[in-house]
Amino acid sequence: MSEDRYWKSSVSEITGDSVVIRGYRLDDLIGSSFTAATYLLIRGELPTAGQARVLDAILTAVLDYALEKPGTVAARFVVSSNPSMQAGLAAAALAAGEYSLAPEATARFTTRVYEQYVASASNDMRAFARTIVEDLRSRKERIPGLGHPVFKQIDPRAQVLRKIAVDEGVWSDAATLYEAIHAEFTSLPGKADIPINDVGMMALLCVSLGFTPEEATALAVIGTLPGVVAHISEELSSGRRIRVLQAKDVDYDVPRRELGSSEHSS
């Protein structure tokens, strides 16, 4: 490949008679598992059966949260004004971030602390986890991936994800360290009820599969899109146009002022 070309890519190539995806003809991939094809495209190789099952679990872990997810509500508001499926999908994708849906922060944290653990050459993971918790507390920084407004101690969705990963042999030392950090954190006064949430567990599985933090968020967005499509279709078929908040649902506190002559002249 020439060094002076503007772009280089090993993802795919269109030839005279086929599209080649990571070395495989698209003709041959059509009809195979979408999950396996997703893994192939992002990781560059076909997954084992266990890896495919774990990725399948990740992709179905956040299918829908009814109207309790900002992205879904944003999508429905948008299409009530602009009746476009793709506009609604874009709105939902843009809502994924630090406080909702995205496993990126947890994946980045898990990767970073595990690298520190390996570099420390420590043989005591629990003691190392304790130092991490103490350091974060001293700097008043939160541990991403913990907590839920409803579930206490255990998030059942997270536990299903964990069991699938362990059963399939896709559970890394980095994920084990994160659990040790969680155990140390919940041993503190008043913290015992705080679980690893579903998005946090998705991050651990993504790290265990070798995905980057950014790819973890992409997978979460991909997984939530079928639910968003269903909500957008429902909104479009409802015939409701231009959704707005009703006055009774807003506590307005807007002052009333009169412009004086000096303000008018300026």
Side-chain angles (χ1 to χ4, degrees):
M1 185 178 292
S2 174
E3 292 296 326
D4 59 357
R5 295 294 178 87
Y6 184 68
W7 258 315
K8 293 181 181 180
S9 177
S10 60
V11 176
S12 61
E13 181 182 6
I14 299 177
T15 68
D17 63 350
S18 183
V19 177
V20 181
I21 306 289
R22 296 290 194 186
Y24 296 92
R25 289 170 60 94
L26 180 56
D27 319 38
D28 297 329
L29 293 172
I30 293 173
S32 62
S33 160
F34 178 75
T35 297
T38 299
Y39 187 98
L40 169 66
L41 270 165
I42 300 173
R43 296 284 292 130
E45 59 188 16
L46 286 169
T48 64
Q51 290 168 333
R53 184 168 182 243
V54 172
L55 180 54
D56 226 3
I58 292 169
L59 291 173
T60 55
V62 287
L63 279 173
D64 197 47
Y65 290 140
L67 293 173
E68 297 185 20
K69 187 170 60 184
T72 301
V73 176
R76 295 190 71 141
F77 266 106
V78 165
V79 300
S80 74
S81 178
N82 176 13
S84 161
M85 176 63 74
Q86 59 269 33
L89 290 172
L94 289 172
E98 185 174 354
Y99 305 123
S100 176
L101 187 65
E104 188 169 331
T106 306
R108 185 170 288 111
F109 171 83
T110 301
T111 302
R112 175 173 58 81
V113 296
Y114 183 68
E115 288 173 351
Q116 293 173 354
Y117 173 68
V118 172
S120 73
S122 172
N123 293 320
D124 190 339
M125 183 177 283
R126 192 66 183 257
F128 180 84
R130 191 175 306 119
T131 64
I132 292 294
V133 172
E134 290 171 352
D135 178 59
L136 291 173
R137 289 190 72 200
S138 69
R139 292 187 283 115
K140 297 182 178 180
E141 292 186 14
R142 62 183 287 271
I143 300 171
L146 301 184
H148 193 272
V150 176
F151 300 122
K152 306 302 179 186
Q153 296 186 346
I154 291 176
D155 183 330
R157 303 161 304 172
Q159 292 307 302
V160 172
L161 285 167
R162 184 188 189 282
K163 183 178 186 306
I164 290 172
V166 171
D167 287 349
E168 297 298 338
V170 182
W171 184 258
S172 64
D173 290 341
T176 300
L177 174 59
Y178 182 91
E179 284 195 318
I181 292 170
H182 173 246
E184 287 297 324
F185 176 75
T186 54
S187 69
L188 298 172
K191 308 297 185 183
D193 285 344
I194 299 178
I196 300 173
N197 58 44
D198 59 334
V199 175
M201 191 61 71
M202 286 171 63
L204 301 187
L205 270 59
C206 285
V207 169
S208 298
L209 284 171
F211 291 109
T212 67
E214 295 81 7
E215 289 166 352
T217 290
L219 291 168
V221 171
I222 292 169
T224 198
L225 289 182
V228 177
V229 170
H231 279 281
I232 292 172
S233 292
E234 186 175 73
E235 189 67 31
L236 292 173
S237 65
S238 73
R240 178 111 180 225
R241 296 184 178 182
I242 313 179
R243 280 192 185 272
V244 296
L245 290 175
Q246 300 300 310
K248 64 181 178 62
D249 295 323
V250 182
D251 186 10
Y252 288 105
D253 186 19
V254 182
R256 299 294 189 267
R257 298 171 180 164
E258 296 289 338
L259 281 173
S261 58
S262 61
E263 287 90 347
H264 277 294
S265 61
S266 61

